[in-house]
Amino acid sequence: MKRIAFIDYIRVFACFLVILVHASENYYSGEGATDMAGPQSFLANETNRLWVSIYDGFSRMSVPLFMIVSAFLLAPMKKGITSWQFYTHRFARILPPFILFMILYSTLPLLWGQIDGNTSLKDLSRLLLNFPTIGGHLWFMFPLISLYLFIPIISPWLEKATPREERFFIGLFLLSTCIPYLNRFCGEVWGQCFWNEYHMLWYFSGYLGYLVLAHYIRTHLTWNRSKRFWTGFVLMIVGAVWTIYSFYIQAIPGITLSTPEIELGWTFCTINCVILTTGTFLMFSCIQAPQSPRFVSDISKLTYGMYLIHIFWLGMWVDVFKNDMQLDTVFAIPIISIATYITCYISCKLLSYLPGSKWIIGA
């Protein structure tokens, strides 16, 4: 597949944002959490509240950016290949490294005492069911796999759909992203009840909406470069302010809080995250270089491995900059993220020289 310069830049940027999210979570994760936020949150002071809101809130476009990039490149499925050929090619790339790191996150933390033997055995016994205790970031693989499974199914519709039909789908998707707020303030809506979670817009919701949105932008959006950039800029600012503020007003320092409640506006299929992601994607799409610089494309090729491995490095840098050096939060979070990003890149670059490295890091 021919490389697209602006997609390389997005991957490099989004990979850093993933790490920035998890670095920030160390400043509000409650008791019993690992390097990521647990079910309860605790912010020690107003400084943590402010900078966690800003760094983590802005970075919540990271997962949707990866989803929209995958959809932009893969949907609709190329003509002339079967569903099974598509599945074989995609899953041969992502599943071996994913399974390997599921095993590593279930076992390696035993060496430094982060988990005990019982936790390790439990994690290993549940590998076919869910991600391991320390590998919470691997949740992302399951919706990504689901998106891949659905691409051959939706591809025939995408090939035939008119711009108006796709806009209709996207409109229903955007309406579905408001449901988390409706549930908070209005309770169950559109058929939701304790015996039915499938609301009226269920089949237009979730990451599938990003897939259709990506196809619409690639195929039907005819805006010139200036209109894309400035529309994207406005959407990014509106989405960022909304996402940041949604956490800040709820994250009261000094008391234990429910993480799902204060992260309501940080879930990836809420309207504000869609606005933030779409705006940023449109801005990146203005990059018209025929190819990205070598160092950008090099990092882009390794982002899958960097994502898989980063939690192993993150904890070490949190200990150095947060616990040992006790840097101010405003500096600590980005420094932890940069240090983790660099060590992940170096690790994956070295691993890429091994024979069969694609089975380890997907590169």
Side-chain angles (χ1 to χ4, degrees), residues 39-184:
Q40 293 185 321
S41 297
F42 182 86
L43 290 121
N45 50 56
E46 183 63 36
T47 299
N48 286 6
R49 178 193 191 189
L50 174 63
W51 292 109
V52 165
S53 299
I54 292 173
Y55 289 134
D56 204 335
F58 179 77
S59 301
R60 289 288 159 160
M61 70 176 97
S62 53
V63 165
L65 279 175
F66 276 119
M67 290 294 188
I68 206 169
V69 161
S70 293
F72 188 87
L73 295 174
L74 300 176
M77 193 172 62
K78 287 184 178 179
K79 294 182 178 180
I81 67 170
T82 67
S83 299
W84 303 115
Q85 288 171 329
F86 176 83
Y87 292 149
T88 299
H89 178 72
R90 298 316 306 171
F91 291 138
R93 179 180 181 271
I94 67 169
L95 288 184
F98 173 47
I99 294 169
L100 172 63
F101 274 88
M102 291 268 278
I103 295 170
L104 291 177
Y105 279 107
S106 300
T107 54
L108 281 187
L110 281 168
L111 299 178
W112 51 86
Q114 195 172 9
I115 61 174
D116 57 24
N118 289 334
T119 300
S120 177
L121 289 174
K122 180 181 178 182
D123 286 345
L124 288 169
S125 70
R126 289 177 52 83
L127 285 186
L128 294 177
L129 300 175
N130 217 334
F131 52 82
T133 303
I134 303 301
H137 64 300
L138 298 177
W139 73 267
F140 166 76
M141 294 305 300
F142 296 94
L144 181 66
I145 290 169
S146 177
L147 203 65
Y148 284 177
L149 287 171
F150 206 76
I151 283 175
I153 297 169
I154 199 173
S155 287
W157 180 77
L158 290 174
E159 290 172 353
K160 297 178 180 179
T162 65
R164 184 179 181 183
E165 289 170 337
E166 288 195 35
R167 287 196 298 270
F168 176 70
F169 186 104
I170 293 168
L172 293 178
F173 163 61
L174 293 176
L175 188 56
S176 79
T177 63
C178 299
I179 288 180
Y181 291 108
L182 290 174
N183 289 156
R184 170 70 66 86

Side-chain angles (χ1 to χ4, degrees), residues 32 77 80 84 89 96 98 166 178 181 197 210 216 229 249 263-264 291 339 352:
M77 193 172 62
W84 303 115
H89 178 72
F98 173 47
E166 288 195 35
C178 299
Y181 291 108
E197 62 184 299
Y210 284 110
Y216 183 85
F229 179 84
I249 60 173
E263 287 191 354
L264 172 67
Q291 62 183 26
S352 72

Side-chain angles (χ1 to χ4, degrees), residues 18-33:
V18 168
I19 295 172
L20 192 61
V21 165
H22 294 149
S24 301
E25 288 184 358
N26 282 269
Y27 287 81
Y28 71 95
S29 54
E31 184 178 353

Side-chain angles (χ1 to χ4, degrees), residues 74-338:
L74 300 176
M77 193 172 62
K78 287 184 178 179
K79 294 182 178 180
I81 67 170
T82 67
S83 299
W84 303 115
Q85 288 171 329
F86 176 83
Y87 292 149
T88 299
H89 178 72
R90 298 316 306 171
F91 291 138
R93 179 180 181 271
I94 67 169
L95 288 184
F98 173 47
I99 294 169
L100 172 63
F101 274 88
M102 291 268 278
I103 295 170
L104 291 177
Y105 279 107
S106 300
T107 54
L108 281 187
L110 281 168
L111 299 178
W112 51 86
Q114 195 172 9
I115 61 174
D116 57 24
N118 289 334
T119 300
S120 177
L121 289 174
K122 180 181 178 182
D123 286 345
L124 288 169
S125 70
R126 289 177 52 83
L127 285 186
L128 294 177
L129 300 175
N130 217 334
F131 52 82
T133 303
I134 303 301
H137 64 300
L138 298 177
W139 73 267
F140 166 76
M141 294 305 300
F142 296 94
L144 181 66
I145 290 169
S146 177
L147 203 65
Y148 284 177
L149 287 171
F150 206 76
I151 283 175
I153 297 169
I154 199 173
S155 287
W157 180 77
L158 290 174
E159 290 172 353
K160 297 178 180 179
T162 65
R164 184 179 181 183
E165 289 170 337
E166 288 195 35
R167 287 196 298 270
F168 176 70
F169 186 104
I170 293 168
L172 293 178
F173 163 61
L174 293 176
L175 188 56
S176 79
T177 63
C178 299
I179 288 180
Y181 291 108
L182 290 174
N183 289 156
R184 170 70 66 86
F185 300 111
C186 303
E188 295 169 329
V189 297
W190 299 334
Q192 289 175 319
C193 48
F194 75 83
W195 64 87
N196 176 52
E197 62 184 299
Y198 306 105
H199 54 77
M200 181 178 67
L201 296 178
W202 181 272
Y203 302 106
F204 297 89
S205 63
Y207 298 106
L208 180 61
Y210 284 110
L211 186 153
V212 178
L213 180 61
H215 181 265
Y216 183 85
I217 291 173
R218 179 169 190 170
T219 307
H220 301 303
L221 195 67
T222 58
W223 294 349
N224 60 34
R225 188 182 183 192
S226 176
K227 188 173 182 179
R228 279 185 180 234
F229 179 84
W230 288 111
T231 302
F233 179 76
V234 171
L235 290 175
M236 185 198 71
I237 294 299
V238 171
V241 171
W242 185 344
T243 308
I244 290 166
Y245 187 68
S246 71
F247 182 89
Y248 182 82
I249 60 173
Q250 300 179 92
I252 309 303
I255 61 174
T256 300
L257 302 160
S258 168
T259 302
E261 289 186 11
I262 63 173
E263 287 191 354
L264 172 67
W266 283 6
T267 51
F268 302 113
C269 293
T270 49
I271 183 65
N272 48 286
C273 276
V274 176
I275 292 171
L276 174 60
T277 303
T278 304
T280 304
F281 187 84
L282 287 174
M283 290 177 68
F284 271 103
S285 73
C286 295
I287 297 173
Q288 296 180 338
Q291 62 183 26
S292 54
R294 183 174 178 181
F295 79 93
V296 173
S297 62
D298 190 42
I299 296 174
S300 176
K301 293 174 185 176
L302 296 173
T303 50
Y304 182 42
M306 293 169 66
Y307 149 75
L308 290 171
I309 205 173
H310 79 274
I311 293 296
F312 282 136
W313 286 110
L314 181 68
M316 183 189 79
W317 294 118
V318 169
D319 282 339
V320 171
F321 295 113
K322 179 187 177 187
N323 301 329
D324 296 338
M325 297 181 64
Q326 298 185 357
L327 292 183
D328 290 342
T329 308
V330 61
F331 303 115
I333 292 175
I335 290 174
I336 290 168
S337 304
I338 292 168

